[in-house]
């Protein structure tokens, strides 16, 4: 054995690091390698432990038996210790013994059930025979770093509630190094049990506290006062005052999460905060999350002023922000996205099915404009992440003020289902184009931290702003715009700069023909912001910007690294001198104005883009024609069907796929869109994800793509060639043995491999055992198997089954829904 | 401003400070020394290994610095290895462990994690005997201990 091998493996930290990446069966194998390996594999396998609700009695309780002794005329109760839990255990004794022996290794413990959305009742057995039992925590369970307590007791079982309260109190008191504490409860045990335990335990390492329980009455105030007492603000004051009382151990609490449940009402907190004359006691928490609180609950008795508005100090947000002066992340919304799983139900409909409260109280903006925003800015000047999704408290003016103020440091914005946020306000987060900066010099946006996360789902009015983020915000890593249909024309004509995207969820409308209408943004130097052309402009200015310019078809193919081609230039250059807008000319470079980028009428000499999508309409230069021919020939070798004329829709789809294919860091891609969709006398199509419509351009996504979600897309991915393409390019791209076997099989037969038997067996016919490397691509969710055009439902199912057989780790979820559900697209409302 | 690193076999490597400071050890040394042109000796790292380490740091020079608290949480481990890292780690086993040792010494946690994930991938799916053979480990269990452990693992898997 080489010395470096033995040395590396002998270092405990390295061995542990290796074991942390192993699953349980591998850990068991490692436990049998040598004594050193056994020791560390045991350590790692016990690091994380879960005691389900059903097993709590076995692991954390002991039974007390009361015996009645009749002695003459008197009776007395004698309490005796139990034998342990053996008589009522359902678990084998050796499990419990092993648990008590090894529990000192546990660092992360979940007691109860993992899912807070399910009620899990503790098992009680023979309560009539054994009416009393108590918690009995193993003495070795003292090294917890993370504790999740998810136990639900029924109110009519007080025994259960007392027992569970003892368990949580005991776990907290004997684990002083807890860093992450999660408390999930329904009615019992009450939050007061937790607060009592927290008051009496130092927990100086506590960094994160998550509650999912009722906070009725004054629960929220109690919690914030408890946190204020332990926060370092209080200690600074105490030091200054040289208090004679013993110092309370302080927490360095970073994060507080509260999920409203049951009878939580924050009305009393708001009322008490309004009445209080003392300044609010600050809490030194940097990340605050408040889920699922409803305005209407605590505002039913508010008082309107003369203008019909309400005083700002009735706002829960107002009072909360004043308590958290060092807040960096503010999240006041709903936890729906956390539980939402890709399905035939769209995210938007999912929202409406669970959160109808806002619809019932529309309109619901009740404060004066900008008042709440100014209060937030004043109270929490250091915010870097904002999630005010599903809120109606903020006017558009509030959003404008907030985003303008926080833009330089904002890293994350989540505003799904926020009707009061319009494109104009959202554009506060888009910096001016490089052209503008080079022309007018240094701009403050060059020092912006850069937006990394943006979620604007379920607000279709924001569609006009989407392409601007893809064009001018390179720092984006997570971008979600579910149920926000954006016209493909707006997404073309430039290279998407956000090549660091890891998550993209987008709804793309593919036009079936070229339409001249488009929206254009221009940078207003005077106001230092983007404006929609058409806002506050007269007709002359409108014409100057070439709104009526013909937008010929087809789009050009973008070469990698190209700065992108632009729309017509002549009218733009004239417009620059007439008003403050710096709408750039398109003679040789990017513009910061946006028009329908499928336009190609004034292709300048500097254009190097070629059109890869049109060999039928005669547009594009000669270079593009040769490229198209070359590509077509390559496909022809695979596809037996004769080359057909590419429609406008197909060409747009190809161009979109080209842009998507540049996002090589993508891990999760969600695509939405509907075919044969008609609105306003226009017909729309969607991405079909076939080889003829650009699927092959998505090949570079093989680098990192893990999940493709297409439940809300009318795709045609279930064809034989498409399924084979996925297997070749996203599953087995590095598997040479598989590729050889597949090529051999295809050349000898046109039938899909495995159509007459097991795919693996078919591929093994050549004597080559396919080495199934572990691909990154793990989930294909929502592939339609209902039958489309050339592919019957039977064939679609067969093809999907074949793909599933190619990789056991690949999860293929089929969409058997024939008809799409109705949805609300705002201006694209489906009737 | 470049930094000069000296390997155990006295070979000099000039690297950008930003690249060198991907190593917390080097970063702390530079902070202690202040502005100085003195080369930094790395007696535990050979030239061949240091070349690989510098290559890794160059490629990842713009990566965000990992927060120690997040990476220490056993519940947040990910087994993903980026394609570049995967190809980077396609070396013989001796070099693999040398890189791991160097990353541990130089305190470059992302490189250490990638190395350990690579070793974990080698282990996955193997029997204990295959693991011993792969890493040349001596079985120091007595036959009785082996039987007992095997039994314990059986009911542990049955749990």
């Amino acid at each position: 054995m080489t010395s470096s091998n033995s040395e590396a493996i002998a270092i405990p930290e390295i061995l542990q690091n290796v074991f942390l990446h192993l699953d349980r069966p591998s850990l068991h194998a490692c436990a049998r390698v040598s004594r050193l390996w056994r020791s560390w594999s045991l350590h790692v396998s016990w690091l994380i432990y879960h005691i389900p609700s059903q097993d709590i009695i076995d692991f954390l309780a002991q039974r007390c038996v009361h015996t009645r002794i009749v002695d003459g005329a008197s009776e007395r109760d004698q309490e005796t210790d139990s034998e342990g839990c053996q008589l009522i255990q359902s678990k084998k004794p050796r499990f419990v013994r092993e648990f008590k022996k090894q529990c000192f290794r546990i660092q992360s413990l979940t007691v109860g059930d993992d899912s807070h959305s399910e009620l899990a009742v503790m098992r009680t057995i023979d309560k009539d025979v054994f009416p009393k039992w108590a918690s009995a925590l193993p003495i070795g369970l003292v090294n917890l770093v993370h504790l999740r307590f998810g136990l639900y007791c029924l109110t009519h079982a007080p025994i259960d509630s007392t027992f569970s309260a003892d368990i949580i109190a005991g776990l907290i008191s004997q684990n002083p190094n807890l860093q992450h504490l999660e408390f999930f409860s329904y009615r019992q045990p009450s939050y007061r049990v937790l607060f009592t335990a927290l008051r009496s335990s130092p927990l100086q390492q506590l960094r994160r506290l998550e509650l999912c329980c009722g906070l009725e009455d004054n629960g929220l105030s109690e919690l914030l006062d408890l946190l204020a007492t332990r926060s370092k603000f209080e200690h600074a004051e105490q030091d200054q005052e040289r208090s004679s009382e013993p110092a309370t151990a302080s927490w360095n609490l970073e994060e507080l999460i509260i999920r409203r449940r049951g009878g939580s009402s924050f009305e009393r907190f708001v009322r008490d905060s309004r009445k209080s004359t003392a300044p609010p006691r600050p809490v030194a928490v940097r990340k605050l999350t408040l889920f699922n609180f409803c305005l209407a609950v605590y505002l039913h008795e508010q008082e309107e002023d003369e203008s019909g508005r309400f005083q700002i100090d009735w706002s829960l947000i107002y009072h909360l922000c004043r308590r958290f002066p060092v807040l960096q992340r503010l999240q006041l919304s709903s936890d729906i996205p956390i539980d939402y799983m890709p399905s035939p139900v769209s995210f938007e409909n999912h929202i409406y099915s669970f959160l109808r409260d806002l619809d019932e109280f529309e309109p619901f903006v009740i404060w004066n404009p900008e008042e709440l925003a100014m209060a937030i800015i004043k109270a929490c000047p250091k915010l870097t992440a904002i999630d005010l999704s599903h809120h109606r408290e903020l006017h558009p003016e509030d959003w404008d003020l907030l985003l303008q103020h926080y833009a330089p440091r904002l890293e994350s914005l989540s505003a799904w289902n926020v009707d009061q946020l319009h494109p104009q306000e959202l554009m506060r987060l888009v910096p001016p184009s490089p052209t503008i900066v080079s022309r007018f010099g240094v701009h403050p946006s060059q020092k912006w931290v850069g937006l990394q996360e943006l979620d604007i789902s379920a607000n279709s009015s924001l569609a006009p702003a989407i392409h601007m983020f893809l064009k001018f915000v390179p720092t984006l890593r997570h971008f979600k715009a579910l149920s926000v249909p954006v016209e493909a024309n707006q997404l073309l004509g430039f290279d998407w700069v956000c090549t660091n995207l890891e998550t993209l969820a987008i709804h793309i409308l593919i036009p079936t023909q070229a339409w001249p209408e488009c929206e254009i943004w221009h940078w207003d130097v005077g106001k230092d912001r983007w404006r929609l052309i058409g806002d506050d402009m007269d007709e002359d200015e409108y014409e100057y910007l070439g709104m009526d310019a013909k937008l010929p078809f087809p789009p050009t193919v973008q070469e990698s690294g190209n700065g992108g081609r632009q729309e017509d230039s002549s009218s733009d250059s004239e417009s620059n001198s007439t008003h403050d807008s710096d709408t750039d000319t398109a003679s040789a470079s990017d513009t910061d104005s946006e028009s329908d980028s499928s336009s190609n009428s004034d292709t300048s000499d500097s254009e190097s883009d070629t059109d890869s999508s049109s060999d039928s309409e005669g547009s594009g230069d000669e270079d593009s024609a040769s490229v198209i021919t070359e590509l077509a020939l390559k496909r022809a070798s695979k596809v037996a069907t004769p080359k057909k004329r590419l429609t406008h829709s197909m060409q747009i789809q190809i161009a979109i796929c080209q842009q998507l294919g540049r996002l090589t860091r993508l891990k999760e891609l969600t695509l939405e869109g509907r075919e044969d969709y008609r609105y306003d006398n226009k017909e729309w199509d969607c991405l079909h994800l076939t080889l003829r419509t650009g699927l092959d351009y998505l090949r570079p996504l093989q680098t990192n793509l893990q999940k493709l979600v297409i439940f809300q897309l009318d795709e045609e991915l279930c064809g034989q060639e498409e399924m084979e393409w996925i297997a070749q390019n996203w599953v087995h791209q590095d598997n040479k043995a598989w590729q050889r076997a597949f090529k051999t099989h295809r050349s000898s037969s046109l039938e899909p491999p495995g159509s007459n038997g097991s795919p693996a067996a078919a591929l093994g016919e050549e004597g080559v055992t396919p080495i199934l490397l572990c691909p990154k691509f793990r989930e294909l969710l929502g592939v339609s198997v209902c039958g489309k055009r050339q592919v019957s439902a039977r064939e679609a199912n067969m093809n999907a089954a074949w793909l599933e057989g190619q990789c056991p780790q690949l999860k293929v979820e089929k969409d058997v829904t024939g008809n799409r559900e109705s949805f609300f697209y705002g201006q694209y409302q489906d009737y | 401003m470049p930094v000069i690193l000296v390997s155990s076999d006295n070979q000099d490597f000039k690297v950008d400070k930003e690249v060198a400071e991907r190593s917390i050890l080097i970063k702390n040394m530079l902070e202690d020394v202040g502005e100085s042109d003195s080369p930094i000796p790395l007696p535990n790292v050979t030239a061949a290994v240091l070349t690989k380490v510098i290559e890794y740091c160059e490629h990842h020079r713009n990566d965000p610095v990992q927060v120690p608290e997040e990476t220490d949480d056993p519940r947040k481990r990910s087994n993903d290895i980026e394609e570049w890292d995967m190809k980077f780690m396609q070396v013989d086993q001796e070099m693999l462990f040398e890189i791991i040792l160097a990353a541990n010494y130089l305190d470059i946690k992302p490189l250490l994690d990638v190395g350990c994930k690579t070793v974990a991938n080698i282990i996955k799916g193997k029997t204990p005997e295959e693991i011993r053979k792969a890493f040349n480990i001596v079985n120091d269990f007595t036959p009785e201990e082996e039987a007992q452990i095997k039994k314990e693992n059986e009911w542990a898997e049955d749990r």
Side-chain angles (χ1 to χ4, degrees), chain A residues 339-521:
Chain A
D339 293 332
Y340 174 69
M341 302 299 291
S343 74
V345 177
S346 69
F347 179 63
E348 191 174 39
N349 279 358
H350 184 79
I351 294 172
Y352 279 104
S353 64
F354 280 98
L355 296 175
R356 294 193 179 276
D357 57 318
L358 290 185
D359 290 340
E360 292 174 9
F361 296 98
E362 292 278 12
F364 209 63
V365 183
I366 52 178
W367 326 112
N368 286 316
E370 297 187 353
E371 210 172 16
L372 185 55
M374 287 173 60
I376 294 173
I377 291 170
K378 184 181 176 186
C380 306
K382 299 179 183 177
L383 288 178
T384 61
I386 297 173
D387 181 352
L388 292 173
S389 298
H390 194 61
H391 268 286
R392 299 291 187 268
E393 285 197 57
L394 297 167
H395 292 267
E397 293 88 341
D398 288 294
W399 279 107
D400 193 63
L401 196 59
L402 281 175
L403 296 184
Q404 181 186 13
H405 175 84
Y406 289 115
R409 66 178 72 233
L410 200 65
E411 296 174 1
S412 170
L413 173 68
S414 184
W416 52 265
N417 199 28
V418 177
D419 288 353
Q420 302 301 317
L421 179 59
H422 302 139
Q424 192 71 38
E425 291 89 52
L426 186 64
M427 288 295 289
R428 285 289 193 183
L429 300 180
V430 178
S433 69
T435 307
I436 299 303
V437 173
S438 63
R439 176 184 297 178
F440 292 99
V442 175
H443 187 269
S445 65
Q446 290 177 288
K447 294 185 180 178
W448 285 7
V449 168
L451 194 68
Q452 297 181 32
E453 299 180 18
L454 178 63
D455 187 349
I456 52 172
S457 299
N459 183 355
S460 58
S461 69
L462 294 177
I466 287 178
H467 67 282
M468 297 296 277
F469 285 88
L470 296 178
K471 188 172 183 184
F472 292 124
V473 185
T475 50
L476 268 180
R477 289 172 48 228
H478 305 279
F479 187 15
K480 289 187 178 179
L482 295 170
S483 303
V484 184
V486 58
E487 298 180 24
N489 295 336
Q490 295 180 349
L491 300 175
L492 298 174
F494 58 92
D495 278 336
W496 298 359
V497 299
C498 44
T499 51
N500 289 324
L501 275 175
E502 297 175 22
T503 306
L504 176 63
I506 193 166
H507 185 126
I508 302 177
L509 292 173
I510 305 291
T512 55
Q513 44 185 309
W515 296 310
E517 292 182 29
C518 60
E519 288 165 339
I520 295 177
W521 292 95

Side-chain angles (χ1 to χ4, degrees), chain B residues 9-59:
Chain B
D9 40 359
N10 290 322
Q11 193 165 337
D12 290 358
F13 293 83
K14 191 185 267 188
V15 297
D16 288 343
K17 187 181 177 189
E18 184 186 36
V19 172
E21 286 187 344
R22 298 300 297 186
S23 157
I24 304 300
L25 176 78
I26 294 176
K27 185 180 179 188
N28 291 341
M29 288 170 70
L30 290 173
E31 285 174 0
D32 292 342
V33 169
E35 293 291 332
S36 170
D37 295 333
S38 305
I40 296 177
L42 302 174
N44 292 349
V45 187
T46 64
V49 179
L50 189 55
T51 302
K52 288 288 284 183
V53 171
I54 291 172
E55 181 189 349
Y56 178 89
C57 295
E58 283 276 6
H59 180 81

Side-chain angles (χ1 to χ4, degrees), chain A residues 1-9 11 13-15 17-38 47-52 55 59 91-92 94-95 98 101 107-108 146 179-180 182 207-208 287 665 667 702-704 706 734 774 776 778, chain B residues 59 63-64 69-70 72-84 86-87 93-95 97-98 100-101 104 109 112-117 119-121 123-129 131-132 134-142 145-146 149-153 155-159:
Chain A
M1 176 167 58
T2 59
S3 61
S4 56
N5 284 16
S6 58
E7 191 181 341
I9 294 173
I11 297 177
E13 293 82 11
I14 292 178
L15 204 54
N17 198 333
V18 171
F19 288 162
L20 282 172
H21 299 292
L22 293 176
D23 51 19
R24 200 162 283 276
S26 298
L27 282 172
H28 290 152
C30 291
R32 292 161 54 191
V33 169
S34 70
R35 286 177 178 165
L36 176 66
W37 278 50
R38 171 175 171 72
L47 275 179
I48 302 173
Y49 203 84
H50 173 216
I51 302 176
D55 296 343
F59 288 94
K91 281 290 183 193
K92 295 174 183 175
R94 63 186 179 201
F95 290 125
E98 190 66 16
K101 183 180 165 189
Q107 292 186 15
S108 171
H146 164 256
Q179 296 180 20
H180 308 274
E182 299 164 22
R207 297 208 325 272
R208 180 172 158 272
K287 300 175 186 175
R665 292 191 179 226
K667 293 181 180 177
Q702 68 185 200
T703 310
N704 286 300
Q706 297 174 7
D734 294 325
C774 189
K776 284 206 169 70
R778 301 284 178 85
Chain B
H59 180 81
D63 287 1
E69 294 81 6
E70 289 175 358
D72 287 344
D73 189 342
R75 296 166 297 125
K76 293 185 178 179
R77 288 278 169 160
S78 166
N79 285 338
D80 293 340
I81 302 181
E82 289 182 14
E83 187 181 4
W84 188 92
M86 204 181 300
K87 288 179 180 167
Q93 203 175 96
E94 182 171 0
M95 176 57 80
F97 282 104
E98 292 276 6
I100 290 175
L101 286 171
N104 188 50
K109 200 159 190 324
L112 180 62
D113 280 348
V114 167
C116 291
K117 284 181 195 176
V119 173
N121 287 338
I123 292 174
K124 278 177 188 170
K126 286 189 167 63
T127 63
E129 185 53 40
I131 295 172
R132 289 191 203 108
F135 299 111
N136 213 358
I137 298 173
V138 174
N139 181 3
D140 53 0
F141 288 124
T142 63
E145 284 175 334
E146 261 197 316
I149 292 166
K150 190 175 177 185
K151 204 175 173 182
E152 285 175 2
N153 279 3
W155 61 254
E157 287 167 11
D158 183 44
R159 174 170 170 268

Side-chain angles (χ1 to χ4, degrees), chain A residues 36-106:
Chain A
L36 176 66
W37 278 50
R38 171 175 171 72
S39 168
W40 282 100
S41 67
L42 273 182
H43 171 73
V44 170
S45 62
W46 279 93
L47 275 179
I48 302 173
Y49 203 84
H50 173 216
I51 302 176
S53 304
Q54 297 292 318
D55 296 343
I56 289 177
I57 294 178
D58 301 321
F59 288 94
L60 302 176
Q62 69 177 12
R63 172 176 54 86
C64 300
V65 178
H66 290 267
T67 58
R68 285 184 172 273
I69 299 175
V70 179
D71 181 13
S74 66
E75 294 180 350
R76 66 174 189 274
D77 291 337
Q78 180 177 5
E79 187 175 282
T80 61
D81 289 334
S82 70
E83 289 292 326
C85 306
Q86 292 181 1
L87 295 182
I88 61 170
Q89 261 184 342
S90 66
K91 281 290 183 193
K92 295 174 183 175
R94 63 186 179 201
F95 290 125
V96 179
R97 275 200 302 271
E98 190 66 16
F99 172 78
K100 290 183 178 176
K101 183 180 165 189
Q102 303 289 352
C103 65
F104 71 97
R105 302 179 189 272
I106 300 174

